[in-house]
Amino acid sequence: NAGVTQTPKFQVLKTGQSMTLQCAQDMNHEYMSWYRQDPGMGLRLIHYSVGAGITDQGEVPNGYNVSRSTTEDFPLRLLSAAPSQTSVYFCASRGSHQETQYFGPGTRLLVL
Amino acid sequence: GESVGLHLPTLSVQEGDNSIINCAYSNSASDYFIWYKQESGKGPQFIIDIRSNMDKRQGQRVTVLLNKTVKHLSLQIAATQPGDSAVYFCAENTGGFKTIFGAGTRLFVKA
């Protein structure tokens, strides 16, 4: 199993550009989530999904959209990037009967 | 409000010594706690967990202690090795999908 994979590893955007961060998992996990990690702060939940076709907002959802068309994939979209979205983004997944999350390697995003 | 905090942002230990990383939480309703290890450039990795009906749990070279009276969690690493150098996060589950992460403690292991 590859576990949780994320692409790209690094990305530089200009303010106002849009992009999609990809996340995939091959563990047949129902639950998937997106976090951002900023210096000196813990991981903060952006959006999450409890299954295909179901998504919900987390703690810091503004500026981000998600969709869950399949169990495996959970892309995160930035519609109009802002410098405040410069961060490291982590995708995570877990089974519905588990409480431990498995994290991907992260995407480092710089918005100029 | 709800928070998960760490007493020390950095910890430096000699190789072979034991390490203790502390964490305070404020939500008495939290029933599940997790410690994660994050190496540079990687995602957080599960180390050990503990439920609120326990006060101690041991793994391989790691022990988690939970003191619900003072809302304190600690991670003990025995015989610390250079490969243990990383940032360690505590996290608490307050039910449902809500997990609160601490800011992290960076552990340096001196050879």
Side-chain angles (χ1 to χ4, degrees), chain B residues 10-77:
Chain B
T10 62
L11 177 65
S12 184
V13 299
Q14 197 69 39
E15 181 179 359
D17 288 351
N18 296 335
S19 303
I20 299 176
I21 302 172
N22 296 305
C23 179
Y25 66 96
S26 59
N27 190 340
S28 57
S30 294
D31 58 3
Y32 179 66
F33 303 87
I34 316 109
W35 280 100
Y36 289 95
K37 173 185 180 183
Q38 186 176 23
E39 296 175 284
S40 181
K42 297 183 179 179
Q45 180 182 12
F46 170 86
I47 302 173
I48 192 168
D49 58 0
I50 189 167
R51 295 201 173 276
S52 58
N53 61 354
M54 304 171 67
D55 53 19
K56 180 179 180 179
R57 190 162 188 222
Q58 288 184 291
Q60 187 176 9
R61 282 201 307 117
V62 294
T63 300
V64 56
L65 299 177
L66 176 63
N67 186 331
K68 295 181 286 294
T69 302
V70 295
K71 299 195 186 83
H72 184 268
L73 192 68
S74 69
L75 176 70
Q76 300 179 1
I77 305 173

Side-chain angles (χ1 to χ4, degrees), chain A residues 51-71:
Chain A
I54 306 170
T55 64
D56 207 345
Q57 296 181 347
E59 181 185 355
V60 288
N62 292 342
Y64 308 95
N65 277 358
V66 292
S67 60
R68 185 94 181 271
S69 56
T70 66
T71 299

Side-chain angles (χ1 to χ4, degrees), chain A residues 31 37 40 42 48 90 99-100 104, chain B residues 32 38 43 46 51 89 97 102-103:
Chain A
Y31 293 179
Q37 184 178 39
Y48 66 97
F90 289 100
E99 293 188 74
T100 301
Chain B
Y32 179 66
Q38 186 176 23
F46 170 86
R51 295 201 173 276
F89 295 91
F97 214 85

Side-chain angles (χ1 to χ4, degrees), chain A residues 14-70:
Chain A
K14 294 181 180 178
T15 297
Q17 287 185 315
S18 62
M19 79 159 294
T20 300
L21 281 64
Q22 302 292 344
C23 174
Q25 51 91 11
D26 60 359
M27 298 173 282
N28 203 31
H29 285 169
E30 293 89 345
Y31 293 179
M32 296 187 74
S33 54
W34 276 102
Y35 292 88
R36 61 178 289 172
Q37 184 178 39
D38 300 296
M41 302 183 70
L43 294 161
R44 291 184 292 168
L45 183 64
I46 304 172
H47 285 284
Y48 66 97
S49 169
V50 299
I54 306 170
T55 64
D56 207 345
Q57 296 181 347
E59 181 185 355
V60 288
N62 292 342
Y64 308 95
N65 277 358
V66 292
S67 60
R68 185 94 181 271
S69 56
T70 66

